[in-house]
Structure formats: structure tokens, C-alpha cells
């Protein structure tokens, strides 16, 4: 699909930023397992931390195609930064779509400026792909007039991106632990008494992104921090995550493109058997397959984003994009390591980090198996 002049300009700006500002610090951030906060502040200066915030609250209010382009190019810098931004944007999307005017006024202007960082707390140790099995409870406490005055939260959330560095959490919890129809959405400040942050997970990849548990032990929030009506939380989460799948698919494309670019460059400079390995048919065919698969995934992402912008039902398109692109990222980065040979297996080669990062893409925000279920359901229900 053709991009507008504005979309091309944004893509080119973010691409240059990713290559000039993010890539140089990516290896160190991965090695030290530390998030590059200076990069985050620069994203805020570019207005990218307000991508999904309406303009009236200081945001960018990007269309879905632009949002996908930004995610693709940032992931071409490093996936950890792109992931942190997409989760922050999930949080601002929840506030923009489900919050009332007071909630939007309280949170969105500052969040669009980058601080506080948003987190999205849905998964639990025993409730990942099946969020309805969550056990975290937000028990309503009524005042003397019979109206709910506050909620008391108890439970644990797992796999929380920006769990440590975030300042506000979009939380999904049951108002009655034994009733899955009571899942509700809340906004919880990180400095709430009783909210604790667990240790950072030691991960295969995405090591610069802090991933933690969040524990709630008699954590109390006022009733006005409820974002949805009681029982509307799960449908809200699934709605927001459908758009989030476009972002993850776009990130997959960006990561695959980075691996392809590195492979093309290496194939042109690495010499064996009297010439560059790019002259060897086996390598040429690998590059052709990597290029074709990456471009096919990109077109699926663009189609899903276009459908979202047109107001169409884009659930199947988003799942196809997320499934195909995430699997492509794994296969393309795998081939990048193979093309680089022994050099690709070392940290000096750089592509091993891309390979490690890629493996999370078919897992988080809906596994490939979940995406297949969504696609099959759409196909069979027609």
C-alpha cells in the first residue's frame, strides 16, 4: 500500500533515530540488562510516547498505519525499546478508550510526555493464554451510604514489561475471585501502598527490557480508579490487545529487516573460495527467501493496519499478521546466524542478539497457537 507523505516522513525520522541513537547502545543495554532511559527521553522529545494519546491530551493520536511504521523502525534499533513503547501505548490506549474525562485529564498529559511509564498487568503465573483464570481480586468496599468507596487488591501479576520502571499500571482483576464474569479494569499508581515489584526475570532475549512480577497485598485504590464497569474488563483487554498485535507484528518485521540487512552486508564483505559468499548460490537463495518472507509479513501488517483505520473488523487480519510476522522474525534471524557462521554465534557478530530477541515474538501478546485459533474461528464461522 502507498504511504502518505507524512507517514513516509515519520518512518524516515524514526528509522534514522533507531539507527543513529538506538543501535549504538543496544548491545550494551542487552549485556547489562538495563533499559536505555536516555533513549526513552528522546522518544518523548519526538512525541512518540504519546502515539496513542488523543491530541487534546497532548498526544500524537497516530493512525494504525503510522503506529505500525513506528514500531517496525524502533524494533530495527532494538526490540526492547519498541516493546516498552508498545506496552506504554497499550496503557494510554486503555485510558483514552475506557477512562472518563477526569481519568484522562489526570493521566494522559503526563504519560504522553513519557512519564509516568505505563505497564499492562493481565497475565498471572497460572493465567497466561487464558486470562479468565486469573485470581487477582479487587474487592469492593462500600461506605456508609452503600456506594463503593474503594477497592482492595490482592494477587500477583507476571511477565510485566516495564514492571520496575513504570509509574502507572493498567490492572485487570476480578471483583469476586470465584466469578470470572467480574473481571474489571483499573488504573493503579505504582506508589500505592501494598503494591510490590518482584525481581527482574533473567531472560533468553529482550534483556534490556525489565520484566517483573507485581504483587498486590491489601493494596487500596479509590473507586474512581475503576476504568470499566464491573465485568467489562476482559472484553476491554481483548479489544486493546487486538490492536497491540499489529504493533508486535510490525516489530517482528523490523527485527527481521535488521537481520536481513546485516546478512546482506556480511555476504558482500565475507570472502570464501576466492570471492564474497554472496556469490554462492546457497547464500543467495537464503537471502532471497529472507527478503520474500519479510516483505510478505510487512504487507500483512500494512493490511491489518489499513483495515483498522478503515473501521473494518480487523481481528483476523491482526492475528494473521502477528502469527506470520513473528514466525518470520524467528526464521530470518536464525538464517542470519547461519549466514554469519561462527561469527554469528558470538556476541561480537551482533545477530545472535537479534535471534535471542526474536523468540519472544511468537509468545507474548498471544502465542502463535492462540493466533491460529482466532484465524480458524474466523474462517469456520463465515
Amino acid at each position: 500500500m502507498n504511504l502518505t507523505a507524512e507517514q513516509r516522513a515519520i518512518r524516515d525520522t524514526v528509522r534514522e533515530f533507531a539507527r543513529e541513537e538506538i543501535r549504538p547502545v543496544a548491545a550494551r543495554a542487552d549485556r547489562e540488562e538495563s533499559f536505555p532511559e536516555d533513549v526513552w527521553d528522546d522518544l518523548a522529545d519526538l512525541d512518540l510516547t504519546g502515539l496513542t494519546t488523543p491530541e487534546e491530551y497532548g498526544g500524537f493520536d497516530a493512525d494504525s498505519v503510522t503506529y505500525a511504521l513506528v514500531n517496525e523502525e524502533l524494533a530495527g534499533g532494538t526490540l526492547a525499546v519498541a516493546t516498552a513503547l508498545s506496552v506504554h501505548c497499550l496503557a494510554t490506549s486503555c485510558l483514552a478508550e475506557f477512562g472518563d474525562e477526569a481519568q484522562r485529564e489526570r493521566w494522559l498529559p503526563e504519560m504522553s510526555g513519557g512519564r509516568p511509564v505505563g505497564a499492562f498487568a493481565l497475565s498471572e503465573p497460572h493465567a497466561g493464554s487464558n486470562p479468565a483464570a486469573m485470581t487477582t481480586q479487587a474487592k469492593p468496599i462500600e461506605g456508609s451510604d452503600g456506594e463503593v468507596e474503594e477497592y482492595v487488591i490482592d494477587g500477583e501479576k507476571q511477565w510485566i514489561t516495564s514492571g520496575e520502571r513504570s509509574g502507572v499500571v493498567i490492572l485487570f482483576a476480578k471483583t469476586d475471585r470465584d466469578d470470572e464474569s467480574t473481571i474489571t479494569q483499573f488504573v493503579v499508581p505504582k506508589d500505592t501502598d501494598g503494591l510490590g515489584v518482584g525481581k527482574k526475570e533473567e531472560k533468553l532475549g529482550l534483556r534490556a527490557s525489565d520484566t517483573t512480577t507485581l504483587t498486590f497485598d491489601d493494596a487500596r485504590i479509590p473507586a474512581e480508579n475503576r476504568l470499566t464497569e464491573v465485568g467489562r474488563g476482559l472484553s476491554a483487554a481483548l479489544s486493546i490487545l487486538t490492536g497491540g498485535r499489529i504493533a508486535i507484528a510490525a516489530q517482528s518485521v523490523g527485527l527481521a529487516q535488521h537481520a536481513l540487512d546485516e546478512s546482506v552486508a556480511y555476504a558482500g564483505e565475507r570472502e570464501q573460495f576466492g570471492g564474497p559468499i554472496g556469490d554462492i548460490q546457497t547464500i543467495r537463495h537464503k537471502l532471497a527467501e529472507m527478503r520474500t518472507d519479510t516483505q510478505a509479513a510487512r504487507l500483512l501488517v500494512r493490511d491489518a493496519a489499513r483495515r483498522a483505520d478503515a473501521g473494518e473488523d480487523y481481528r483476523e487480519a491482526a492475528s494473521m499478521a502477528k502469527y506470520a510476522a513473528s514466525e518470520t522474525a524467528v526464521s530470518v534471524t536464525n538464517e542470519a546466524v547461519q549466514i554469519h557462521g561462527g561469527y554469528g554465534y558470538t556476541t561480537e557478530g551482533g545477530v545472535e542478539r537479534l535471534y535471542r530477541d526474536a523468540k519472544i515474538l511468537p509468545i507474548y501478546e498471544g502465542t502463535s497457537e492462540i493466533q491460529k485459533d482466532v484465524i480458524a474461528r474466523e474462517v469456520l464461522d463465515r
Side-chain angles (χ1 to χ4, degrees):
M1 63 175 289
N2 294 326
L3 302 177
T4 66
E6 181 182 21
Q7 288 168 340
R8 288 196 300 271
I10 292 170
R11 179 200 61 192
D12 293 346
T13 297
V14 178
R15 178 178 295 172
E16 181 180 6
F17 175 77
R19 292 181 177 180
E20 298 297 323
E21 304 298 331
I22 301 179
R23 285 191 186 181
V25 302
R28 177 179 176 182
D30 176 79
R31 183 172 61 252
E32 297 180 354
E33 299 185 49
S34 61
F35 188 84
E37 294 294 347
D38 288 347
V39 168
W40 184 263
D41 293 335
D42 290 339
L43 289 178
D45 290 341
L46 291 171
D47 294 331
L48 297 180
T49 49
L51 270 180
T52 59
T53 300
E55 291 182 1
E56 58 265 38
Y57 303 103
F60 190 90
D61 201 16
D63 58 80
S64 294
V65 172
T66 300
Y67 186 50
L69 291 170
V70 170
N71 274 277
E72 177 180 337
E73 298 303 334
L74 286 179
T78 185
L79 185 61
V81 169
T83 297
L85 182 66
S86 65
V87 170
H88 177 77
C89 288
L90 283 181
T92 56
S93 293
C94 287
L95 286 159
E97 184 167 343
F98 304 107
D100 59 29
E101 183 61 25
Q103 291 165 334
R104 292 194 292 265
E105 286 282 2
R106 178 183 177 188
W107 296 107
L108 287 178
E110 290 187 345
M111 292 180 73
S112 69
R115 312 281 179 177
V117 175
F120 188 84
L122 178 65
S123 295
E124 297 186 3
H126 302 290
S129 295
N130 180 23
M134 69 175 64
T135 59
T136 298
Q137 178 176 258
K139 183 178 180 180
I141 304 298
E142 296 180 354
S144 58
D145 60 357
E147 296 293 324
V148 175
E149 289 188 343
E150 63 178 0
Y151 290 88
V152 180
I153 308 169
D154 290 284
E156 181 180 15
K157 294 294 181 176
Q158 193 171 34
W159 317 123
I160 308 303
T161 297
S162 301
E164 185 175 64
R165 57 188 294 272
S166 58
V168 61
V169 179
I170 301 300
L171 172 73
F172 297 86
K174 295 175 178 176
T175 57
D176 180 347
R177 182 168 281 146
D178 298 322
D179 186 353
E180 67 179 41
S181 71
T182 66
I183 296 174
T184 306
Q185 184 180 201
F186 303 88
V187 54
V188 185
K190 275 288 290 302
D191 60 2
T192 299
D193 289 341
L195 196 170
V197 179
K199 72 176 183 66
K200 289 198 293 187
E201 300 286 352
E202 297 182 9
K203 307 187 297 292
L204 170 69
L206 208 66
R207 294 168 66 85
S209 173
D210 67 296
T211 307
T212 75
T213 57
L214 293 178
T215 58
F216 299 85
D217 183 9
D218 198 36
R220 295 172 180 262
I221 58 171
E224 56 262 31
N225 282 29
R226 194 189 76 209
L227 286 177
T228 59
E229 296 177 6
V230 172
R232 295 290 302 276
L234 185 57
S235 61
L238 296 178
S239 172
I240 291 295
L241 286 174
T242 299
R245 286 168 181 165
I246 296 177
I248 301 302
Q251 291 169 20
S252 302
V253 172
L255 186 62
Q257 185 66 54
H258 186 179
L260 174 58
D261 292 343
E262 294 294 325
S263 299
V264 170
Y266 186 77
E269 65 188 29
R270 173 63 168 164
E271 293 196 0
Q272 288 284 285
F273 308 108
I277 63 171
D279 289 343
I280 301 172
Q281 186 180 61
T282 301
I283 301 299
R284 296 172 70 86
H285 284 184
K286 284 183 182 293
L287 294 172
E289 291 167 358
M290 293 160 71
R291 165 63 175 163
T292 301
D293 291 346
T294 299
Q295 182 64 4
R298 180 178 285 114
L299 293 176
L300 280 171
V301 174
R302 298 277 176 88
D303 179 62
R306 179 196 63 78
R307 290 176 183 275
D309 285 336
E312 300 175 13
D313 184 348
Y314 65 98
R315 288 174 296 180
E316 181 185 29
S319 286
M320 288 194 297
K322 204 274 184 182
Y323 163 54
S326 63
E327 296 290 346
T328 291
V330 174
S331 64
V332 168
T333 55
N334 176 59
E335 290 287 36
V337 172
Q338 191 71 19
I339 288 171
H340 282 72
Y343 187 58
Y345 196 67
T346 67
T347 57
E348 184 181 0
V351 291
E352 59 82 32
R353 174 172 53 82
L354 305 183
Y355 180 48
R356 288 187 288 106
D357 282 354
K359 188 54 191 170
I360 190 59
L361 291 163
I363 297 174
Y364 66 1
E365 289 199 33
T367 64
S368 289
E369 290 74 18
I370 291 295
Q371 304 315 315
K372 290 178 187 178
D373 280 345
V374 172
I375 297 163
R377 184 165 60 247
E378 293 292 326
V379 170
L380 293 171
D381 287 349
R382 284 176 180 159

